[in-house]
Amino acid sequence: MSGGKFVSSWSGGKDSALAAYRAIKAGNTPAMLWTMFEKDQSHSKSHALPLEIVQAQAQEIGVPLMIRKADWAGYETQFIDAMRVCKAHGIPQAVFGDIDLEDHLLWVQSMCAKVGIEAVHPLWEEPRRKLLEEFIAEGFEAYIVVVNTKMMPAEFIGRRFTVELMDELEALHIDSCGESGEFHTVVVDGPIFKERIPVVMGETIEKDGYVFLRCALGKDTAAE
């Protein structure tokens, strides 16, 4: 990275948070978060986080939040538009949390190149387990909020992301990084935040082979 400003491609989960953290540690400055939401819904794609939580994450990092909405058919158009806005704001780099899925890496690089944005992947090709242990050791706090029940048991919904949880998943031959979409997380605390985000876990919803945990902002009752 060039030591300048960057926009963070922000899912609200562990990989995007660790990527942003590494970019900051390397001397770069976060200038914006951008998150893709479902086209006709009030929650983010994949992680299904409500707007208020993503807004709180951006506030605790201290940067503006940019939202785009798209279904998969319109994803590319909205992606390029978001990168174009960043470029217009003098942000030359975009940070992504990809680890080792090359097809997605190449797609992101291609889309960013169309508007002259440098795509940066701080986690690229590092051992998954090593990255996760770093995430926990650096003081991040995250919880599983989406489970793909075709790939892992629904009982893991709501669990805090810990080394012990990773061991449990691996004992069941489940990727503890969730890199193939086994699960998604929400980050509520860590070194990139000024204060812990008080997220309240609510009911679960089952849809199309997934279990989603409803989350909302609430009074801070930090997990023990």
Side-chain angles (χ1 to χ4, degrees):
M1 296 184 74
S2 62
K5 296 190 294 183
F6 71 90
V7 57
S8 175
S9 176
W10 186 260
S11 69
K14 58 182 177 51
D15 297 340
S16 63
L18 183 59
Y21 176 59
R22 280 194 165 187
I24 294 167
K25 282 185 70 176
N28 302 279
T29 303
M32 187 181 296
L33 301 188
W34 87 271
T35 305
M36 193 74 82
F37 273 55
E38 294 288 355
K39 183 178 181 180
D40 299 315
Q41 302 292 331
S42 59
H43 58 259
S44 65
K45 293 187 79 68
S46 301
H47 292 61
L49 298 177
L51 178 59
E52 64 177 6
I53 288 180
V54 183
Q55 287 175 326
Q57 291 174 325
Q59 180 178 340
E60 294 305 330
I61 295 173
V63 297
L65 172 67
M66 176 173 57
I67 295 293
R68 287 292 181 272
K69 292 193 171 189
D71 53 21
W72 290 118
Y75 194 96
E76 179 175 320
T77 298
Q78 291 299 317
F79 184 106
I80 292 174
D81 179 69
M83 293 300 98
R84 187 174 287 116
V85 169
C86 293
K87 184 74 173 180
H89 280 78
I91 304 172
Q93 304 170 108
V95 168
F96 299 88
D98 298 285
I99 298 173
D100 53 26
L101 300 182
E102 188 169 1
D103 286 348
H104 193 258
L105 171 85
L106 295 174
W107 184 87
V108 165
Q109 290 176 332
S110 174
M111 294 302 104
C112 287
K114 290 184 178 183
V115 295
I117 287 272
E118 179 189 3
V120 181
H121 293 79
L123 314 182
W124 186 247
E125 290 192 327
E126 292 197 31
R128 295 179 180 183
R129 175 83 186 206
K130 173 179 172 289
L131 290 170
L132 299 172
E133 290 176 350
E134 176 185 337
F135 177 83
I136 294 166
E138 291 291 346
F140 283 99
E141 179 183 350
Y143 296 85
I144 293 179
V145 291
V146 180
V147 166
N148 181 341
T149 58
K150 298 182 290 292
M151 304 178 77
M152 62 184 281
E155 66 194 51
F156 286 97
I157 198 79
R159 292 281 301 276
R160 181 170 177 170
F161 196 78
T162 62
V163 170
E164 291 74 20
L165 174 62
M166 290 159 51
D167 291 340
E168 285 184 52
L169 292 172
E170 290 172 6
L172 296 173
H173 306 290
I174 298 166
D175 175 23
S176 60
C177 194
E179 186 71 353
S180 296
E182 292 87 347
F183 63 91
H184 297 297
T185 58
V186 60
V187 176
V188 304
D189 201 5
I192 58 176
F193 294 151
K194 292 175 287 187
E195 298 288 344
R196 184 180 186 274
I197 298 166
V199 173
V200 175
M201 309 297 185
E203 63 182 353
T204 58
I205 298 172
E206 297 186 35
K207 183 179 180 182
D208 300 329
Y210 290 83
V211 175
F212 301 89
L213 181 61
R214 284 195 180 275
C215 302
L217 287 181
K219 189 175 176 181
D220 195 351
T221 53
E224 296 181 359

